[in-house]
């Protein structure tokens, strides 16, 4: 291994450590607790080292969001693969999405609530974000029906899931009604 390859590997490892530490801190104490000073202390690197990887907190949030998008795509695909019947697949997708939001609140916020400097729904949208949407579309395109564009239907279904996730996390919806909400969403919006 050349010196250059070793340096690249070490740089990539430092970057992974910064993102993992930011994510851990955000999950424990919220995104307000994530500062370059705290990150530097936790990973035992100087702040200039952090700034050599990320220009600031916004880029760190973006890196966490991209990681989270890949995890969300994997969770949705894992939940729907091998499930027989469109209704069961759409229900599995909805449950997986909502479960992801509950289990990963800081990551969910990085993806959908905070400014991570990422571009959504554009040509230059990063691939992990496109893939997360594609993971939803793979199941929901079949639920859209003949007279509705599958992408548009997926956006509306996703928006409904996001609303449920956000309102539930904020304590605005009763947690014991989570399952009836999923059933209603699948029955009435997806009509499968």
């Amino acid at each position: 291994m050349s010196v250059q390859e070793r340096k690249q590997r070490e740089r990539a490892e430092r970057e992974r450590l910064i993102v993992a530490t930011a994510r851990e801190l955000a999950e424990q104490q919220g995104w307000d607790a994530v500062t370059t000073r705290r990150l530097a202390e936790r990973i035992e690197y100087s702040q200039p080292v952090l700034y050599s990887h990320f220009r600031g907190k916004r880029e760190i949030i973006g890196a966490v969001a991209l990681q989270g998008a890949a995890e969300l795509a994997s969770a949705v695909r894992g939940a729907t693969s091998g499930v027989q019947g469109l209704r069961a697949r759409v229900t599995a997708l909805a449950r997986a999405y909502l479960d992801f939001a509950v289990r990963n609140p800081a990551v969910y916020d990085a993806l959908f609530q905070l400014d991570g400097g990422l571009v959504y729904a554009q040509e230059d949208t990063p691939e992990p974000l496109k893939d997360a949407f594609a993971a939803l579309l793979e199941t929901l395109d079949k639920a859209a029906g003949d007279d509705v564009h599958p992408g548009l239907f997926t956006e509306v279904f996703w928006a409904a899931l996001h609303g449920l996730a956000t309102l539930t996390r904020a304590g605005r919806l009763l947690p014991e009604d989570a399952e009836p909400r999923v059933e209603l969403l699948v029955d009435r919006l997806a009509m499968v």
Side-chain angles (χ1 to χ4, degrees), residues 152-166:
L152 182 61
F153 179 79
T154 300
E155 288 174 346
V156 171
F157 197 89
W158 169 35
L161 287 173
H162 175 69
L164 290 175
T166 302

Side-chain angles (χ1 to χ4, degrees), residues 15 19 54 57-68 110 116 118:
E15 197 166 295
V19 171
F54 300 99
K57 183 176 176 177
R58 182 178 186 221
E59 284 189 4
I60 294 169
I61 290 170
V64 170
L66 292 176
Q67 189 180 71
L118 302 174

Side-chain angles (χ1 to χ4, degrees), residues 69-70 73-74 77 125-138:
S74 178
R77 286 186 176 115
T125 296
E127 283 306 313
L129 298 177
K130 288 180 181 179
D131 190 50
F133 186 78
L136 299 174
L137 182 62
E138 288 164 11

Side-chain angles (χ1 to χ4, degrees), residues 39-51:
L39 288 173
E41 288 171 2
R42 282 207 177 190
I43 64 174
E44 299 177 344
Y45 283 106
S46 67
Q47 284 182 314
V49 170
L50 276 135
Y51 285 117

Side-chain angles (χ1 to χ4, degrees), residues 79-147:
T80 58
S81 71
V83 176
Q84 299 300 312
L86 182 56
R87 185 180 194 295
R89 283 178 53 102
V90 172
T91 301
L93 177 147
R95 287 180 183 142
Y97 183 96
L98 295 171
D99 184 54
F100 181 88
V102 168
R103 286 185 296 105
N104 305 284
V107 174
Y108 192 83
D109 286 346
L111 264 167
F112 301 119
Q113 304 290 96
L114 302 174
D115 179 9
L118 302 174
V119 177
Y120 288 77
Q122 304 295 320
E123 280 297 314
D124 56 344
T125 296
E127 283 306 313
L129 298 177
K130 288 180 181 179
D131 190 50
F133 186 78
L136 299 174
L137 182 62
E138 288 164 11
T139 293
L140 295 173
D141 68 339
K142 294 163 187 66
D146 295 335
D147 57 339

Side-chain angles (χ1 to χ4, degrees), residues 28-48:
Q28 292 170 351
Q29 299 176 29
W31 278 105
D32 287 341
V34 179
T35 65
T36 54
R37 184 182 58 74
R38 277 194 176 154
L39 288 173
E41 288 171 2
R42 282 207 177 190
I43 64 174
E44 299 177 344
Y45 283 106
S46 67
Q47 284 182 314

